[in-house]
Amino acid sequence: MSTLVVYFSFTGSTKPIAEKIAETLGADITELKTSKNYPTGGFRKYFWGGKSVIFGEEPKLTNKPVDLNQYDTIIIGTPIWAGSFTPPIKSFISQNNIQGKRIALFASHAGGGAQKCFTKLKKELTGNEFIGEIDFVEPKKSLEENLPKAVSWAKGLAI
């Protein structure tokens, strides 16, 4: 069985978690990149991120398309914006017919919880088997705690 970790990391918090999960599982990894630049500081960062989620934006991805037919398991990682997954993840899901896969989800956030985000992702990804979910609070600020947590979770996925 082959595994793909696909993720978006706006401020760099989701990236080390994605890399550790991929390393633990020997999985391929794809970081989603967009042609759109979001504001990175202050109020504008939160306003534009929230607006993008609320209006269902699907920014253009600059990555080469991934052939998902070669993967049985897809692990999706996202920061949480306005209680949901990020627009680049929405673009990835919309551009790919993800059906009949084993799906695991992880999210990074500042402390608001991830259940609402996971519920929305599962709704977008119907027709798949969900094998796990986990969230990380401010992972970049506490990597010494979050990286072992990511390793333990990945090993428990039974891939």
Side-chain angles (χ1 to χ4, degrees):
M1 294 176 103
S2 56
T3 302
L4 173 68
V5 175
V6 61
Y7 71 98
F8 176 71
S9 188
F10 181 59
T11 62
S13 288
T14 308
K15 184 174 186 156
I17 301 298
E19 290 174 341
K20 185 53 80 174
I21 291 168
E23 175 189 317
T24 300
L25 297 173
D28 292 341
I29 188 167
T30 297
E31 179 178 9
L32 299 178
K33 298 287 187 180
T34 65
S35 59
K36 177 179 183 166
N37 290 321
Y38 294 97
T40 57
F43 174 75
R44 289 180 37 142
K45 169 184 165 182
Y46 298 103
F47 174 79
W48 283 102
K51 177 195 77 69
S52 296
V53 169
I54 291 166
F55 288 106
E57 291 181 8
E58 293 182 22
K60 181 180 181 205
L61 299 177
T62 59
N63 305 73
K64 290 188 287 185
V66 178
D67 178 10
L68 297 183
N69 291 324
Q70 62 183 321
Y71 300 103
D72 302 308
T73 303
I74 302 172
I75 300 172
I76 299 173
T78 183
I80 296 177
W81 289 4
S84 189
F85 54 95
T86 57
I89 296 293
K90 184 170 183 62
S91 295
F92 177 78
I93 292 169
S94 294
Q95 292 172 11
N96 293 281
N97 181 23
I98 304 172
Q99 295 288 312
K101 304 289 184 185
R102 300 173 77 231
I103 304 284
L105 308 171
F106 71 95
S108 58
H109 58 88
Q115 197 52 54
K116 185 176 172 183
C117 173
F118 292 148
T119 298
K120 289 179 179 187
L121 270 168
K122 288 176 180 177
K123 184 176 178 184
E124 290 288 321
L125 292 161
T126 57
N128 295 286
E129 174 190 359
F130 293 94
I131 60 171
E133 60 189 49
I134 192 170
D135 64 303
F136 300 89
V137 178
E138 296 187 357
K140 196 163 66 170
K141 289 185 179 178
S142 54
L143 283 176
E144 66 283 345
E145 175 186 324
N146 283 305
L147 291 180
K149 180 179 169 182
V151 168
S152 177
W153 178 74
K155 288 180 176 178
L157 291 176
I159 294 177

